[in-house]
Amino acid sequence: MAAEVPEHSRRGMVVAPAKRKSKRFAFACAMLASMTSILLGYDIGVMSGAAIFIKDDLKISDTQVEILLGILNLYSLVGSYAAGFTSDWIGRRYTIVFAAGIFFVGALLMGFAVNYAFLMVGRFVAGIGVGYALMIAPVYTAEVAPASSRGFLTSFPEVFINSGILLGYVSNYGFARLRESLGWRLMLGVGAIPSVFLALGVLAMPESPRWLVMKGRLGDARRVLDMTSDTPEEAQLRLDDIKAAAGIPEGCNDDVVPAPKNQGGRVWRELLLRPTPAVRRVLLTAVGIHFFQQASGIDSVVLYSPRVFEKAGIHDKNKLLGTTVAVGFTKTLFILVATFLLDRIGRRPLLLSSTGGMILSLAGLGLGLTLIDHHLDGQLPWAVGLCIASILAYVAFFSIGLGPITWVYSSEILPLRLRAQGASIAVAVNRVTSGVITMTFISLYKAITIGGSFFLYGGIAALAWVFFFTCLPETRGRTLEDMEDLFGTRSDTKDATNGVEMANASQGNEKI
């Protein structure tokens, strides 16, 4: 009896620390990868306040302000498109380093801009870096994280976007008291600093195990999975699933094997030209959630919050920037809450409740701004309070659901063979939608009033709720390879393989 207790305790001590170690390692990898998103967040936050000073200093019009704020999203299309190829070519890890380097150059160019044209060149370079970062961070994190904590870890990109927004707002507030021509340049230029630390930190990360398997490096993939899985059995199970998805025979266990044939062209055909019903469903789901995340107006609220607060009756520049800090703080606080709920409550309940709260908040904001617009002297204290409360509620609801779940959900439902390219399509839709929304906001509210603009966003959010309710199944706790059964893409792969075999056997007869 006495001998059994130490043995039992010894077994407990072996398992528990291993689990904690794997969690810590996966946590560190996810955090480093997700820090790329801080670059986008900082740009969004800092431009909202810097635009006030840029407009006065460079004497630009409202239309030029719209273009300046929104064009980075369209520029990022170049980066998100290229990231799909780059991440399959040089790996997920070095793609993150590349993204940080590009943004570093872009931030310096914006900081040293002497005119509007020079500033737009800097926006173009920074936009490419942002596109890379947005695509690669959630993909890498989803591929490293164990299923038990994937929602928590894959939500990190959104955490760092919000942290970046808050830092941008704080930068606005801190540099606002400097000479106008110097202040906004420092606001933009200091964005280069985080990218340096990011590039250095990422070099300590391992490569994605799924990318390693795609390159035939099974031994390296096995070592990474051992470090990021809760148990050796789970690590082996994950490796077997990845090998099956990559087309490597189950009995092939050498450290280095011939790499599966590069099927990049075939992937694009499977995604866009001849998608099966299951692939079409996965792509529609990923694209749809990214579209509605931006079409419901989040970037208009974040980028134009000083202008919205000004319309609500706050005119002092320091008060405007101080109020935007409250918006950034609220977003960051609630995204941190969301990270702990994703793997406990699930994606679907959070997403539906979040979108419902956004609808009500947008309705309240639209009502408050409409009442202020129609009031004779423009002073209606309770309506101002309603506007401020509605904006804070809106960003809180967004951050606790739709914000992080968009990146978690879209990165985990795409099958391995389609993941990099599929993610780049979804991010492209995200950035185009954001660009259109931010580049038309001023023109929109001049056409239908600022209150009407937010009623319109509320209507889009209502459509989003219907889409999420009807099209998005729950994915909590499932492995990435389980998603192929959930959406039917695994059977598509088998059907396609059988079709090729039948075609060869019948000398040219095609199975579709």
Side-chain angles (χ1 to χ4, degrees), residues 30-31 34-35 37-38 41 151-166 328 331-340 342 399 403-405 407:
M31 178 168 286
S34 302
M35 282 182 67
S37 302
I38 207 169
F152 173 69
L153 297 178
T154 315
S155 65
F156 278 16
E158 187 68 17
V159 172
F160 282 102
I161 288 176
N162 285 274
S163 301
I165 290 172
L166 179 57
K331 277 180 64 60
T332 304
L333 175 64
F334 278 88
I335 189 64
L336 290 173
V337 173
T339 60
F340 293 98
L342 280 167
S399 296
I405 289 173
W407 303 102

PDB file of all heavy atoms in Angstrom, residues 30-31 34-35 37-38 41 151-166 328 331-340 342 399 403-405 407:
ATOM      1  N   ALA A  30       1.373  31.363 -29.915  1.00  0.00           N
ATOM      2  CA  ALA A  30       0.203  32.107 -30.380  1.00  0.00           C
ATOM      3  C   ALA A  30       0.358  33.595 -30.113  1.00  0.00           C
ATOM      4  O   ALA A  30      -0.010  34.441 -30.941  1.00  0.00           O
ATOM      5  CB  ALA A  30      -1.059  31.575 -29.696  1.00  0.00           C
ATOM      6  N   MET A  31       0.915  33.936 -28.957  1.00  0.00           N
ATOM      7  CA  MET A  31       1.077  35.346 -28.619  1.00  0.00           C
ATOM      8  C   MET A  31       2.061  36.028 -29.567  1.00  0.00           C
ATOM      9  O   MET A  31       1.793  37.131 -30.070  1.00  0.00           O
ATOM     10  CB  MET A  31       1.550  35.492 -27.172  1.00  0.00           C
ATOM     11  CG  MET A  31       1.794  36.933 -26.746  1.00  0.00           C
ATOM     12  SD  MET A  31       2.005  37.127 -24.957  1.00  0.00           S
ATOM     13  CE  MET A  31       0.324  36.912 -24.395  1.00  0.00           C
ATOM     14  N   SER A  34       0.474  36.349 -33.055  1.00  0.00           N
ATOM     15  CA  SER A  34      -0.648  37.277 -33.082  1.00  0.00           C
ATOM     16  C   SER A  34      -0.223  38.725 -32.914  1.00  0.00           C
ATOM     17  O   SER A  34      -0.996  39.640 -33.221  1.00  0.00           O
ATOM     18  CB  SER A  34      -1.651  36.902 -31.984  1.00  0.00           C
ATOM     19  OG  SER A  34      -2.093  35.579 -32.155  1.00  0.00           O
ATOM     20  N   MET A  35       0.990  38.943 -32.421  1.00  0.00           N
ATOM     21  CA  MET A  35       1.458  40.318 -32.265  1.00  0.00           C
ATOM     22  C   MET A  35       1.562  41.056 -33.590  1.00  0.00           C
ATOM     23  O   MET A  35       1.609  42.283 -33.618  1.00  0.00           O
ATOM     24  CB  MET A  35       2.808  40.339 -31.540  1.00  0.00           C
ATOM     25  CG  MET A  35       2.705  40.148 -30.038  1.00  0.00           C
ATOM     26  SD  MET A  35       4.310  40.241 -29.214  1.00  0.00           S
ATOM     27  CE  MET A  35       4.713  41.968 -29.487  1.00  0.00           C
ATOM     28  N   SER A  37      -0.803  41.410 -35.493  1.00  0.00           N
ATOM     29  CA  SER A  37      -2.070  42.139 -35.603  1.00  0.00           C
ATOM     30  C   SER A  37      -2.028  43.484 -34.899  1.00  0.00           C
ATOM     31  O   SER A  37      -2.874  44.346 -35.164  1.00  0.00           O
ATOM     32  CB  SER A  37      -3.205  41.290 -35.021  1.00  0.00           C
ATOM     33  OG  SER A  37      -3.289  40.056 -35.684  1.00  0.00           O
ATOM     34  N   ILE A  38      -1.066  43.667 -33.995  1.00  0.00           N
ATOM     35  CA  ILE A  38      -0.968  44.950 -33.309  1.00  0.00           C
ATOM     36  C   ILE A  38      -0.617  46.057 -34.304  1.00  0.00           C
ATOM     37  O   ILE A  38      -0.947  47.227 -34.102  1.00  0.00           O
ATOM     38  CB  ILE A  38       0.064  44.880 -32.169  1.00  0.00           C
ATOM     39  CG1 ILE A  38      -0.270  45.883 -31.058  1.00  0.00           C
ATOM     40  CG2 ILE A  38       1.495  45.129 -32.669  1.00  0.00           C
ATOM     41  CD1 ILE A  38       0.563  45.682 -29.800  1.00  0.00           C
ATOM     42  N   GLY A  41      -3.917  47.213 -35.737  1.00  0.00           N
ATOM     43  CA  GLY A  41      -4.659  47.932 -34.706  1.00  0.00           C
ATOM     44  C   GLY A  41      -4.081  49.308 -34.446  1.00  0.00           C
ATOM     45  O   GLY A  41      -4.815  50.293 -34.336  1.00  0.00           O
ATOM     46  N   GLY A 151      -9.744  27.957 -29.539  1.00  0.00           N
ATOM     47  CA  GLY A 151     -10.533  29.185 -29.564  1.00  0.00           C
ATOM     48  C   GLY A 151      -9.862  30.294 -28.770  1.00  0.00           C
ATOM     49  O   GLY A 151      -9.789  31.444 -29.219  1.00  0.00           O
ATOM     50  N   PHE A 152      -9.349  29.924 -27.588  1.00  0.00           N
ATOM     51  CA  PHE A 152      -8.652  30.898 -26.749  1.00  0.00           C
ATOM     52  C   PHE A 152      -7.427  31.464 -27.470  1.00  0.00           C
ATOM     53  O   PHE A 152      -7.227  32.675 -27.535  1.00  0.00           O
ATOM     54  CB  PHE A 152      -8.246  30.219 -25.445  1.00  0.00           C
ATOM     55  CG  PHE A 152      -7.368  31.050 -24.547  1.00  0.00           C
ATOM     56  CD1 PHE A 152      -7.866  32.172 -23.916  1.00  0.00           C
ATOM     57  CD2 PHE A 152      -6.039  30.701 -24.338  1.00  0.00           C
ATOM     58  CE1 PHE A 152      -7.049  32.938 -23.084  1.00  0.00           C
ATOM     59  CE2 PHE A 152      -5.221  31.453 -23.517  1.00  0.00           C
ATOM     60  CZ  PHE A 152      -5.733  32.577 -22.884  1.00  0.00           C
ATOM     61  N   LEU A 153      -6.617  30.578 -28.053  1.00  0.00           N
ATOM     62  CA  LEU A 153      -5.368  31.017 -28.665  1.00  0.00           C
ATOM     63  C   LEU A 153      -5.589  31.714 -30.005  1.00  0.00           C
ATOM     64  O   LEU A 153      -4.909  32.684 -30.328  1.00  0.00           O
ATOM     65  CB  LEU A 153      -4.434  29.816 -28.842  1.00  0.00           C
ATOM     66  CG  LEU A 153      -3.988  29.117 -27.557  1.00  0.00           C
ATOM     67  CD1 LEU A 153      -3.105  27.912 -27.872  1.00  0.00           C
ATOM     68  CD2 LEU A 153      -3.256  30.080 -26.634  1.00  0.00           C
ATOM     69  N   THR A 154      -6.555  31.238 -30.786  1.00  0.00           N
ATOM     70  CA  THR A 154      -6.776  31.826 -32.104  1.00  0.00           C
ATOM     71  C   THR A 154      -7.473  33.170 -32.012  1.00  0.00           C
ATOM     72  O   THR A 154      -7.514  33.917 -32.984  1.00  0.00           O
ATOM     73  CB  THR A 154      -7.596  30.861 -32.994  1.00  0.00           C
ATOM     74  OG1 THR A 154      -7.073  29.543 -32.869  1.00  0.00           O
ATOM     75  CG2 THR A 154      -7.516  31.257 -34.458  1.00  0.00           C
ATOM     76  N   SER A 155      -8.008  33.502 -30.857  1.00  0.00           N
ATOM     77  CA  SER A 155      -8.604  34.833 -30.682  1.00  0.00           C
ATOM     78  C   SER A 155      -7.545  35.895 -30.401  1.00  0.00           C
ATOM     79  O   SER A 155      -7.851  37.084 -30.374  1.00  0.00           O
ATOM     80  CB  SER A 155      -9.614  34.807 -29.524  1.00  0.00           C
ATOM     81  OG  SER A 155      -8.961  34.555 -28.286  1.00  0.00           O
ATOM     82  N   PHE A 156      -6.296  35.472 -30.197  1.00  0.00           N
ATOM     83  CA  PHE A 156      -5.241  36.436 -29.881  1.00  0.00           C
ATOM     84  C   PHE A 156      -5.052  37.526 -30.935  1.00  0.00           C
ATOM     85  O   PHE A 156      -4.760  38.677 -30.589  1.00  0.00           O
ATOM     86  CB  PHE A 156      -3.913  35.706 -29.656  1.00  0.00           C
ATOM     87  CG  PHE A 156      -3.758  35.128 -28.274  1.00  0.00           C
ATOM     88  CD1 PHE A 156      -4.855  34.987 -27.443  1.00  0.00           C
ATOM     89  CD2 PHE A 156      -2.523  34.730 -27.798  1.00  0.00           C
ATOM     90  CE1 PHE A 156      -4.735  34.457 -26.167  1.00  0.00           C
ATOM     91  CE2 PHE A 156      -2.383  34.197 -26.525  1.00  0.00           C
ATOM     92  CZ  PHE A 156      -3.491  34.059 -25.714  1.00  0.00           C
ATOM     93  N   PRO A 157      -5.151  37.220 -32.266  1.00  0.00           N
ATOM     94  CA  PRO A 157      -5.007  38.314 -33.232  1.00  0.00           C
ATOM     95  C   PRO A 157      -5.961  39.467 -32.965  1.00  0.00           C
ATOM     96  O   PRO A 157      -5.578  40.642 -33.058  1.00  0.00           O
ATOM     97  CB  PRO A 157      -5.298  37.631 -34.573  1.00  0.00           C
ATOM     98  CG  PRO A 157      -4.860  36.219 -34.375  1.00  0.00           C
ATOM     99  CD  PRO A 157      -5.223  35.901 -32.956  1.00  0.00           C
ATOM    100  N   GLU A 158      -7.198  39.148 -32.625  1.00  0.00           N
ATOM    101  CA  GLU A 158      -8.157  40.220 -32.344  1.00  0.00           C
ATOM    102  C   GLU A 158      -7.802  40.947 -31.047  1.00  0.00           C
ATOM    103  O   GLU A 158      -8.005  42.155 -30.924  1.00  0.00           O
ATOM    104  CB  GLU A 158      -9.570  39.639 -32.257  1.00  0.00           C
ATOM    105  CG  GLU A 158     -10.676  40.675 -32.125  1.00  0.00           C
ATOM    106  CD  GLU A 158     -10.873  41.523 -33.369  1.00  0.00           C
ATOM    107  OE1 GLU A 158     -10.390  41.135 -34.444  1.00  0.00           O
ATOM    108  OE2 GLU A 158     -11.514  42.585 -33.265  1.00  0.00           O
ATOM    109  N   VAL A 159      -7.246  40.207 -30.078  1.00  0.00           N
ATOM    110  CA  VAL A 159      -6.794  40.856 -28.847  1.00  0.00           C
ATOM    111  C   VAL A 159      -5.738  41.914 -29.169  1.00  0.00           C
ATOM    112  O   VAL A 159      -5.779  43.040 -28.675  1.00  0.00           O
ATOM    113  CB  VAL A 159      -6.204  39.816 -27.860  1.00  0.00           C
ATOM    114  CG1 VAL A 159      -5.559  40.515 -26.669  1.00  0.00           C
ATOM    115  CG2 VAL A 159      -7.278  38.858 -27.383  1.00  0.00           C
ATOM    116  N   PHE A 160      -4.797  41.555 -30.029  1.00  0.00           N
ATOM    117  CA  PHE A 160      -3.716  42.482 -30.338  1.00  0.00           C
ATOM    118  C   PHE A 160      -4.161  43.591 -31.282  1.00  0.00           C
ATOM    119  O   PHE A 160      -3.602  44.690 -31.252  1.00  0.00           O
ATOM    120  CB  PHE A 160      -2.515  41.718 -30.905  1.00  0.00           C
ATOM    121  CG  PHE A 160      -1.713  41.037 -29.837  1.00  0.00           C
ATOM    122  CD1 PHE A 160      -1.823  39.680 -29.612  1.00  0.00           C
ATOM    123  CD2 PHE A 160      -0.863  41.765 -29.023  1.00  0.00           C
ATOM    124  CE1 PHE A 160      -1.096  39.061 -28.618  1.00  0.00           C
ATOM    125  CE2 PHE A 160      -0.116  41.157 -28.020  1.00  0.00           C
ATOM    126  CZ  PHE A 160      -0.236  39.796 -27.817  1.00  0.00           C
ATOM    127  N   ILE A 161      -5.152  43.327 -32.139  1.00  0.00           N
ATOM    128  CA  ILE A 161      -5.723  44.424 -32.929  1.00  0.00           C
ATOM    129  C   ILE A 161      -6.287  45.484 -31.982  1.00  0.00           C
ATOM    130  O   ILE A 161      -6.051  46.684 -32.141  1.00  0.00           O
ATOM    131  CB  ILE A 161      -6.815  43.911 -33.887  1.00  0.00           C
ATOM    132  CG1 ILE A 161      -6.193  43.125 -35.032  1.00  0.00           C
ATOM    133  CG2 ILE A 161      -7.627  45.084 -34.457  1.00  0.00           C
ATOM    134  CD1 ILE A 161      -7.216  42.508 -35.980  1.00  0.00           C
ATOM    135  N   ASN A 162      -7.046  45.027 -30.988  1.00  0.00           N
ATOM    136  CA  ASN A 162      -7.635  45.969 -30.036  1.00  0.00           C
ATOM    137  C   ASN A 162      -6.583  46.645 -29.173  1.00  0.00           C
ATOM    138  O   ASN A 162      -6.696  47.829 -28.860  1.00  0.00           O
ATOM    139  CB  ASN A 162      -8.657  45.241 -29.162  1.00  0.00           C
ATOM    140  CG  ASN A 162      -9.944  44.964 -29.899  1.00  0.00           C
ATOM    141  OD1 ASN A 162     -10.826  45.798 -29.953  1.00  0.00           O
ATOM    142  ND2 ASN A 162     -10.049  43.793 -30.497  1.00  0.00           N
ATOM    143  N   SER A 163      -5.553  45.894 -28.793  1.00  0.00           N
ATOM    144  CA  SER A 163      -4.468  46.508 -28.032  1.00  0.00           C
ATOM    145  C   SER A 163      -3.767  47.570 -28.867  1.00  0.00           C
ATOM    146  O   SER A 163      -3.407  48.644 -28.367  1.00  0.00           O
ATOM    147  CB  SER A 163      -3.451  45.440 -27.604  1.00  0.00           C
ATOM    148  OG  SER A 163      -4.058  44.445 -26.811  1.00  0.00           O
ATOM    149  N   GLY A 164      -3.582  47.277 -30.161  1.00  0.00           N
ATOM    150  CA  GLY A 164      -2.971  48.254 -31.056  1.00  0.00           C
ATOM    151  C   GLY A 164      -3.823  49.495 -31.215  1.00  0.00           C
ATOM    152  O   GLY A 164      -3.305  50.620 -31.256  1.00  0.00           O
ATOM    153  N   ILE A 165      -5.139  49.297 -31.313  1.00  0.00           N
ATOM    154  CA  ILE A 165      -6.050  50.451 -31.407  1.00  0.00           C
ATOM    155  C   ILE A 165      -5.919  51.327 -30.166  1.00  0.00           C
ATOM    156  O   ILE A 165      -5.831  52.565 -30.256  1.00  0.00           O
ATOM    157  CB  ILE A 165      -7.507  49.972 -31.592  1.00  0.00           C
ATOM    158  CG1 ILE A 165      -7.688  49.361 -32.981  1.00  0.00           C
ATOM    159  CG2 ILE A 165      -8.489  51.128 -31.390  1.00  0.00           C
ATOM    160  CD1 ILE A 165      -9.032  48.688 -33.188  1.00  0.00           C
ATOM    161  N   LEU A 166      -5.898  50.689 -28.995  1.00  0.00           N
ATOM    162  CA  LEU A 166      -5.757  51.448 -27.758  1.00  0.00           C
ATOM    163  C   LEU A 166      -4.434  52.202 -27.723  1.00  0.00           C
ATOM    164  O   LEU A 166      -4.388  53.390 -27.349  1.00  0.00           O
ATOM    165  CB  LEU A 166      -5.867  50.508 -26.556  1.00  0.00           C
ATOM    166  CG  LEU A 166      -5.723  51.152 -25.169  1.00  0.00           C
ATOM    167  CD1 LEU A 166      -6.744  52.256 -24.963  1.00  0.00           C
ATOM    168  CD2 LEU A 166      -5.843  50.089 -24.073  1.00  0.00           C
ATOM    169  N   GLY A 328     -11.191  52.709 -27.044  1.00  0.00           N
ATOM    170  CA  GLY A 328     -10.127  51.714 -27.153  1.00  0.00           C
ATOM    171  C   GLY A 328     -10.008  50.849 -25.917  1.00  0.00           C
ATOM    172  O   GLY A 328      -9.800  49.630 -26.018  1.00  0.00           O
ATOM    173  N   LYS A 331     -12.931  48.304 -25.927  1.00  0.00           N
ATOM    174  CA  LYS A 331     -12.702  47.231 -26.891  1.00  0.00           C
ATOM    175  C   LYS A 331     -11.688  46.221 -26.358  1.00  0.00           C
ATOM    176  O   LYS A 331     -11.883  45.007 -26.457  1.00  0.00           O
ATOM    177  CB  LYS A 331     -12.202  47.813 -28.223  1.00  0.00           C
ATOM    178  CG  LYS A 331     -13.306  48.327 -29.146  1.00  0.00           C
ATOM    179  CD  LYS A 331     -12.749  48.887 -30.430  1.00  0.00           C
ATOM    180  CE  LYS A 331     -12.046  47.851 -31.280  1.00  0.00           C
ATOM    181  NZ  LYS A 331     -12.906  46.724 -31.699  1.00  0.00           N
ATOM    182  N   THR A 332     -10.594  46.726 -25.795  1.00  0.00           N
ATOM    183  CA  THR A 332      -9.541  45.838 -25.306  1.00  0.00           C
ATOM    184  C   THR A 332     -10.020  45.007 -24.124  1.00  0.00           C
ATOM    185  O   THR A 332      -9.735  43.807 -24.037  1.00  0.00           O
ATOM    186  CB  THR A 332      -8.302  46.657 -24.907  1.00  0.00           C
ATOM    187  OG1 THR A 332      -7.886  47.449 -26.017  1.00  0.00           O
ATOM    188  CG2 THR A 332      -7.156  45.750 -24.482  1.00  0.00           C
ATOM    189  N   LEU A 333     -10.762  45.629 -23.215  1.00  0.00           N
ATOM    190  CA  LEU A 333     -11.258  44.923 -22.039  1.00  0.00           C
ATOM    191  C   LEU A 333     -12.163  43.758 -22.435  1.00  0.00           C
ATOM    192  O   LEU A 333     -12.005  42.633 -21.946  1.00  0.00           O
ATOM    193  CB  LEU A 333     -12.012  45.896 -21.129  1.00  0.00           C
ATOM    194  CG  LEU A 333     -12.708  45.288 -19.909  1.00  0.00           C
ATOM    195  CD1 LEU A 333     -11.683  44.681 -18.963  1.00  0.00           C
ATOM    196  CD2 LEU A 333     -13.548  46.339 -19.185  1.00  0.00           C
ATOM    197  N   PHE A 334     -13.094  44.022 -23.342  1.00  0.00           N
ATOM    198  CA  PHE A 334     -14.069  42.982 -23.682  1.00  0.00           C
ATOM    199  C   PHE A 334     -13.486  41.903 -24.584  1.00  0.00           C
ATOM    200  O   PHE A 334     -13.964  40.770 -24.564  1.00  0.00           O
ATOM    201  CB  PHE A 334     -15.325  43.615 -24.294  1.00  0.00           C
ATOM    202  CG  PHE A 334     -16.269  44.148 -23.254  1.00  0.00           C
ATOM    203  CD1 PHE A 334     -16.141  45.445 -22.774  1.00  0.00           C
ATOM    204  CD2 PHE A 334     -17.249  43.342 -22.711  1.00  0.00           C
ATOM    205  CE1 PHE A 334     -16.990  45.941 -21.795  1.00  0.00           C
ATOM    206  CE2 PHE A 334     -18.106  43.822 -21.734  1.00  0.00           C
ATOM    207  CZ  PHE A 334     -17.979  45.119 -21.266  1.00  0.00           C
ATOM    208  N   ILE A 335     -12.471  42.229 -25.356  1.00  0.00           N
ATOM    209  CA  ILE A 335     -11.837  41.169 -26.144  1.00  0.00           C
ATOM    210  C   ILE A 335     -11.091  40.210 -25.219  1.00  0.00           C
ATOM    211  O   ILE A 335     -11.022  39.001 -25.465  1.00  0.00           O
ATOM    212  CB  ILE A 335     -10.895  41.755 -27.221  1.00  0.00           C
ATOM    213  CG1 ILE A 335     -10.415  40.656 -28.164  1.00  0.00           C
ATOM    214  CG2 ILE A 335      -9.688  42.414 -26.624  1.00  0.00           C
ATOM    215  CD1 ILE A 335     -11.502  40.029 -28.969  1.00  0.00           C
ATOM    216  N   LEU A 336     -10.546  40.730 -24.125  1.00  0.00           N
ATOM    217  CA  LEU A 336      -9.890  39.855 -23.152  1.00  0.00           C
ATOM    218  C   LEU A 336     -10.905  38.929 -22.491  1.00  0.00           C
ATOM    219  O   LEU A 336     -10.624  37.757 -22.241  1.00  0.00           O
ATOM    220  CB  LEU A 336      -9.163  40.701 -22.105  1.00  0.00           C
ATOM    221  CG  LEU A 336      -7.922  41.450 -22.602  1.00  0.00           C
ATOM    222  CD1 LEU A 336      -7.389  42.375 -21.518  1.00  0.00           C
ATOM    223  CD2 LEU A 336      -6.834  40.470 -23.044  1.00  0.00           C
ATOM    224  N   VAL A 337     -12.093  39.456 -22.207  1.00  0.00           N
ATOM    225  CA  VAL A 337     -13.159  38.611 -21.658  1.00  0.00           C
ATOM    226  C   VAL A 337     -13.523  37.510 -22.653  1.00  0.00           C
ATOM    227  O   VAL A 337     -13.691  36.347 -22.293  1.00  0.00           O
ATOM    228  CB  VAL A 337     -14.401  39.470 -21.319  1.00  0.00           C
ATOM    229  CG1 VAL A 337     -15.575  38.575 -20.907  1.00  0.00           C
ATOM    230  CG2 VAL A 337     -14.078  40.462 -20.210  1.00  0.00           C
ATOM    231  N   ALA A 338     -13.610  37.880 -23.941  1.00  0.00           N
ATOM    232  CA  ALA A 338     -14.013  36.919 -24.965  1.00  0.00           C
ATOM    233  C   ALA A 338     -13.047  35.751 -25.072  1.00  0.00           C
ATOM    234  O   ALA A 338     -13.459  34.612 -25.324  1.00  0.00           O
ATOM    235  CB  ALA A 338     -14.131  37.622 -26.318  1.00  0.00           C
ATOM    236  N   THR A 339     -11.761  36.000 -24.889  1.00  0.00           N
ATOM    237  CA  THR A 339     -10.776  34.920 -25.039  1.00  0.00           C
ATOM    238  C   THR A 339     -11.022  33.778 -24.054  1.00  0.00           C
ATOM    239  O   THR A 339     -10.729  32.619 -24.354  1.00  0.00           O
ATOM    240  CB  THR A 339      -9.336  35.450 -24.847  1.00  0.00           C
ATOM    241  OG1 THR A 339      -9.204  36.009 -23.540  1.00  0.00           O
ATOM    242  CG2 THR A 339      -8.994  36.495 -25.884  1.00  0.00           C
ATOM    243  N   PHE A 340     -11.582  34.104 -22.895  1.00  0.00           N
ATOM    244  CA  PHE A 340     -11.828  33.069 -21.888  1.00  0.00           C
ATOM    245  C   PHE A 340     -13.179  32.386 -22.082  1.00  0.00           C
ATOM    246  O   PHE A 340     -13.449  31.353 -21.462  1.00  0.00           O
ATOM    247  CB  PHE A 340     -11.748  33.671 -20.485  1.00  0.00           C
ATOM    248  CG  PHE A 340     -10.368  34.142 -20.116  1.00  0.00           C
ATOM    249  CD1 PHE A 340     -10.025  35.479 -20.230  1.00  0.00           C
ATOM    250  CD2 PHE A 340      -9.403  33.245 -19.685  1.00  0.00           C
ATOM    251  CE1 PHE A 340      -8.744  35.921 -19.898  1.00  0.00           C
ATOM    252  CE2 PHE A 340      -8.125  33.668 -19.362  1.00  0.00           C
ATOM    253  CZ  PHE A 340      -7.794  35.011 -19.469  1.00  0.00           C
ATOM    254  N   LEU A 342     -14.565  31.704 -25.330  1.00  0.00           N
ATOM    255  CA  LEU A 342     -14.693  31.016 -26.613  1.00  0.00           C
ATOM    256  C   LEU A 342     -14.692  29.500 -26.470  1.00  0.00           C
ATOM    257  O   LEU A 342     -15.465  28.814 -27.153  1.00  0.00           O
ATOM    258  CB  LEU A 342     -13.548  31.448 -27.547  1.00  0.00           C
ATOM    259  CG  LEU A 342     -13.740  32.791 -28.245  1.00  0.00           C
ATOM    260  CD1 LEU A 342     -12.429  33.241 -28.881  1.00  0.00           C
ATOM    261  CD2 LEU A 342     -14.819  32.691 -29.303  1.00  0.00           C
ATOM    262  N   SER A 399     -16.518  43.218 -29.630  1.00  0.00           N
ATOM    263  CA  SER A 399     -15.279  42.621 -29.153  1.00  0.00           C
ATOM    264  C   SER A 399     -15.487  41.310 -28.408  1.00  0.00           C
ATOM    265  O   SER A 399     -14.574  40.488 -28.330  1.00  0.00           O
ATOM    266  CB  SER A 399     -14.526  43.608 -28.242  1.00  0.00           C
ATOM    267  OG  SER A 399     -14.131  44.739 -28.983  1.00  0.00           O
ATOM    268  N   GLY A 403     -15.928  40.153 -33.322  1.00  0.00           N
ATOM    269  CA  GLY A 403     -14.536  40.520 -33.571  1.00  0.00           C
ATOM    270  C   GLY A 403     -13.593  39.333 -33.551  1.00  0.00           C
ATOM    271  O   GLY A 403     -12.974  39.000 -34.567  1.00  0.00           O
ATOM    272  N   PRO A 404     -13.456  38.641 -32.411  1.00  0.00           N
ATOM    273  CA  PRO A 404     -12.510  37.509 -32.361  1.00  0.00           C
ATOM    274  C   PRO A 404     -12.992  36.263 -33.083  1.00  0.00           C
ATOM    275  O   PRO A 404     -12.193  35.535 -33.675  1.00  0.00           O
ATOM    276  CB  PRO A 404     -12.369  37.241 -30.856  1.00  0.00           C
ATOM    277  CG  PRO A 404     -13.640  37.739 -30.251  1.00  0.00           C
ATOM    278  CD  PRO A 404     -14.030  38.927 -31.077  1.00  0.00           C
ATOM    279  N   ILE A 405     -14.297  35.997 -33.070  1.00  0.00           N
ATOM    280  CA  ILE A 405     -14.791  34.744 -33.643  1.00  0.00           C
ATOM    281  C   ILE A 405     -14.587  34.709 -35.155  1.00  0.00           C
ATOM    282  O   ILE A 405     -14.371  33.636 -35.732  1.00  0.00           O
ATOM    283  CB  ILE A 405     -16.280  34.535 -33.269  1.00  0.00           C
ATOM    284  CG1 ILE A 405     -16.386  34.217 -31.767  1.00  0.00           C
ATOM    285  CG2 ILE A 405     -16.906  33.405 -34.082  1.00  0.00           C
ATOM    286  CD1 ILE A 405     -17.792  34.148 -31.239  1.00  0.00           C
ATOM    287  N   TRP A 407     -12.007  35.585 -36.863  1.00  0.00           N
ATOM    288  CA  TRP A 407     -10.673  35.051 -37.162  1.00  0.00           C
ATOM    289  C   TRP A 407     -10.551  33.602 -36.698  1.00  0.00           C
ATOM    290  O   TRP A 407      -9.938  32.769 -37.378  1.00  0.00           O
ATOM    291  CB  TRP A 407      -9.607  35.920 -36.501  1.00  0.00           C
ATOM    292  CG  TRP A 407      -9.723  37.338 -36.941  1.00  0.00           C
ATOM    293  CD1 TRP A 407     -10.272  38.382 -36.251  1.00  0.00           C
ATOM    294  CD2 TRP A 407      -9.329  37.883 -38.208  1.00  0.00           C
ATOM    295  NE1 TRP A 407     -10.230  39.536 -37.005  1.00  0.00           N
ATOM    296  CE2 TRP A 407      -9.656  39.263 -38.202  1.00  0.00           C
ATOM    297  CE3 TRP A 407      -8.718  37.347 -39.344  1.00  0.00           C
ATOM    298  CZ2 TRP A 407      -9.391  40.087 -39.294  1.00  0.00           C
ATOM    299  CZ3 TRP A 407      -8.464  38.168 -40.419  1.00  0.00           C
ATOM    300  CH2 TRP A 407      -8.802  39.525 -40.395  1.00  0.00           C
TER     301      TRP A 407
END
